[in-house]
Amino acid sequence: MKKRYVLIFSVFTALLLFLTGCSGTKEETAGSGPVTITVMGRKSDLAKSYMTSIFEQYEKATGNKIKPVPFVDTEFEATAAEQFAKGDVPDIFMHFHNADLNRFDVEENFLYLNDQEWVDELTESTLAYCKDNDGNLLGLPYWENSVSGCYYNKTILDSLGLKAAATQEEFDVLCQTLADTGYTPVCWPAKGCSWMVQFALDPVFADHPELLQQINKNEITYADIPEVTAMAEWIDEAAQKGWLGHDFLEWDINSVSPVMSEGEAVMTFIWDTWFYTDLAKDGKYTVDDFALMPVFLNTAPTGTYEGGNLNMMMVNKNGGHIGACLDFLSFCASAEHYNAAFDGISTVNCFKGQTTNIQSPMITNVSESVEAHLRASTAASRVTGYSDNDVAVALDSLFRKKTDAAGCVALMDEYRIGRAHDQGAEGF
């Protein structure tokens, strides 16, 4: 009899412990103690100075904890998608509002933030960037609102008596001249990186919205657009001529800083904020040695600049810390806190009350050129099925001579169409 009572008691105790453990998946209650908020994102994104600053400010002010869940940049989309498929969704998910976001079932997983008190704190353009097609606000844009282009070492060019290019033809001559003098003309981090292709495709689709509409209806492909093949041909020829460097297949995003700060390469296709957050401070060359000209990738004769892509903080609506997450976003959107985090960072305002950020002289010195050739980020955010990771795979095949320029474009089409189909896009 005693054994029976012991067994009943043990079963009751185990059940109680189980139910108590399950309570962690419910919304936390007041007085339940410090909360740990998980934030999933790319490793390099979570390490940005303004991100670590806001995390530290929040922890110090509230006693709660922020637990970053970083994934390697080049594996982020795939790894994060695997975690979501397992039901392992973080409290806050950091993502750019681009085509890859369709992989994460936004309506099922994330809270719409239309009614948050900080919405009016956002500038008009940043607010628009983070809304879906139905006008729902998907996340808090907490990022650098940068200008992408071809940033070049003006100190080196001046020493060689060379000047910035204003046309594709001039840029090609500049690249060959630099190569002849022993410099790597363009730092192209080919190991997993392909954001540069966005800059080439933006003019194609921003200047010709009918092409964007047709490709998103699966009525045409990249192969039907001559400029896309022209881009692939230019990249292929640049690699063969040594314009991208001898080691570019081994360069990844972490290689750009040493290559540029030591003067191994003269130019790179990147964004202004990078120079303030990632360029080595103790290198031979610093931010003061750089200037800006358009990107030339054979799709726009007079070049192009790309407007900002914004990383959003999205709240898991099925998580256990919804209230704490919303409080954290309100904390981030407070002028006192974002001004502390973005102090000295080169960025166009995301918030109306931003005062401590700076506008880079690299941009202001060529403001007329930027105004004339700036396109909104279009390829990554508007082309259905577009994925930087897929583009990187296609380019790797080109660089390793497994295919030619036309074959590279065919791979880009194959991957894009396949991803659009998997996402259930209409017409695919």
Side-chain angles (χ1 to χ4, degrees):
M1 199 71 171
K2 184 177 180 181
K3 289 182 178 179
R4 182 181 177 190
Y5 289 142
V6 170
L7 177 61
I8 292 172
F9 179 78
S10 298
V11 171
F12 175 78
T13 302
L15 180 60
L16 181 62
L17 288 172
F18 173 75
L19 292 174
T20 302
C22 284
S23 68
T25 64
K26 302 293 185 182
E27 174 63 24
E28 74 282 353
T29 58
S32 61
V35 171
T36 297
I37 298 173
T38 54
V39 182
M40 182 183 289
R42 292 174 177 80
K43 183 177 180 180
S44 66
D45 291 351
L46 291 171
K48 296 292 187 184
S49 61
Y50 42 85
M51 297 307 304
T52 57
S53 171
I54 201 66
F55 293 164
E56 291 168 1
Q57 289 184 66
Y58 176 74
E59 290 181 340
K60 184 177 180 180
T62 66
N64 289 340
K65 298 295 181 184
I66 299 293
K67 181 182 178 181
V69 183
F71 293 138
V72 175
D73 290 24
T74 55
E75 301 170 4
F76 173 71
E77 301 292 349
T79 308
E82 289 174 3
Q83 296 298 107
F84 274 64
K86 296 175 184 176
D88 191 3
V89 182
D91 296 312
I92 291 177
F93 185 51
M94 290 195 66
H95 201 282
F96 292 91
H97 192 190
N98 57 30
D100 272 323
L101 187 58
N102 293 324
R103 303 174 68 172
F104 298 97
D105 198 344
V106 172
E107 187 174 358
E108 176 65 26
N109 287 308
F110 299 108
L111 196 68
Y112 293 144
L113 303 172
N114 306 328
D115 60 350
Q116 294 303 296
E117 60 185 10
W118 44 260
V119 172
D120 289 340
E121 188 74 12
L122 301 176
T123 63
E124 183 177 349
S125 61
T126 54
L127 178 61
Y129 181 90
C130 296
K131 288 183 176 181
D132 65 12
N133 291 334
D134 296 321
N136 294 308
L137 182 59
L138 303 180
L140 172 70
Y142 201 81
W143 202 241
E144 58 206 44
N145 198 355
S146 53
V147 174
S148 296
C150 177
Y151 288 84
Y152 65 95
N153 190 317
K154 62 183 180 181
T155 303
I156 291 178
L157 285 196
D158 288 346
S159 71
L160 298 172
L162 300 174
K163 62 179 182 178
T167 65
Q168 182 70 53
E169 183 179 5
E170 289 180 3
F171 185 74
D172 292 350
V173 171
L174 177 60
C175 285
Q176 189 58 56
T177 303
L178 288 170
D180 291 342
T181 62
Y183 284 101
T184 294
V186 179
C187 174
W188 186 288
K191 191 174 182 180
C193 300
S194 64
W195 68 73
M196 304 76 80
V197 170
Q198 294 177 206
F199 310 155
L201 296 182
D202 283 342
V204 175
F205 296 111
D207 296 358
H208 304 283
E210 73 280 3
L211 294 180
L212 180 62
Q213 185 178 41
Q214 288 175 314
I215 203 165
N216 283 342
K217 289 182 178 180
N218 204 21
E219 296 174 349
I220 62 171
T221 65
Y222 287 143
D224 297 317
I225 304 173
E227 290 88 347
V228 180
T229 299
M231 171 201 71
E233 290 173 345
W234 187 92
I235 293 172
D236 184 28
E237 292 175 6
Q240 293 184 41
K241 292 176 179 177
W243 292 358
L244 309 184
H246 299 294
D247 300 322
F248 78 106
L249 286 174
E250 301 304 317
W251 287 347
D252 60 15
I253 189 170
N254 296 314
S255 307
V256 184
S257 176
V259 169
M260 298 305 296
S261 64
E262 294 305 318
E264 181 177 348
V266 179
M267 301 179 285
T268 194
F269 303 150
I270 207 160
W271 44 94
D272 60 302
T273 312
W274 179 89
F275 286 87
Y276 297 87
T277 58
D278 294 76
L279 183 68
K281 302 296 189 293
D282 56 353
K284 182 177 180 181
Y285 299 100
T286 67
V287 62
D288 294 332
D289 293 294
F290 291 89
L292 173 63
M293 65 174 137
V295 166
F296 295 98
L297 279 168
N298 217 26
T299 61
T302 54
T304 186
Y305 303 98
E306 184 187 54
N309 292 282
L310 303 175
N311 220 342
M312 304 182 299
M313 293 189 194
M314 306 173 67
V315 176
N316 174 13
K317 71 177 183 181
N318 303 307
H321 304 309
I322 296 174
C325 289
L326 293 177
D327 287 343
F328 172 61
L329 263 57
S330 293
F331 185 93
C332 293
S334 163
E336 175 186 355
H337 305 136
Y338 62 66
N339 275 321
F342 284 93
D343 187 16
I345 299 296
S346 174
T347 175
V348 177
N349 285 13
C350 283
F351 300 97
K352 294 175 182 176
Q354 269 186 286
T355 58
T356 59
N357 55 305
I358 61 174
Q359 186 66 60
S360 171
M362 295 184 290
I363 296 172
T364 57
N365 288 341
V366 289
S367 57
E368 290 185 6
S369 175
V370 172
E371 184 177 353
H373 303 298
L374 182 71
R375 272 90 171 184
S377 178
T378 304
S381 59
R382 297 291 180 262
V383 175
T384 300
Y386 186 90
S387 167
D388 273 337
N389 291 341
D390 291 343
V391 173
V393 173
L395 286 179
D396 189 71
S397 294
L398 176 65
F399 291 141
R400 297 185 187 278
K401 304 186 187 307
K402 296 178 182 179
T403 189
D404 57 11
C408 177
V409 174
L411 285 174
M412 289 172 58
D413 271 325
E414 177 185 339
Y415 299 147
R416 176 186 55 81
I417 292 170
R419 192 174 293 279
H421 176 269
D422 292 344
Q423 292 170 355
E426 186 177 354
F428 291 88

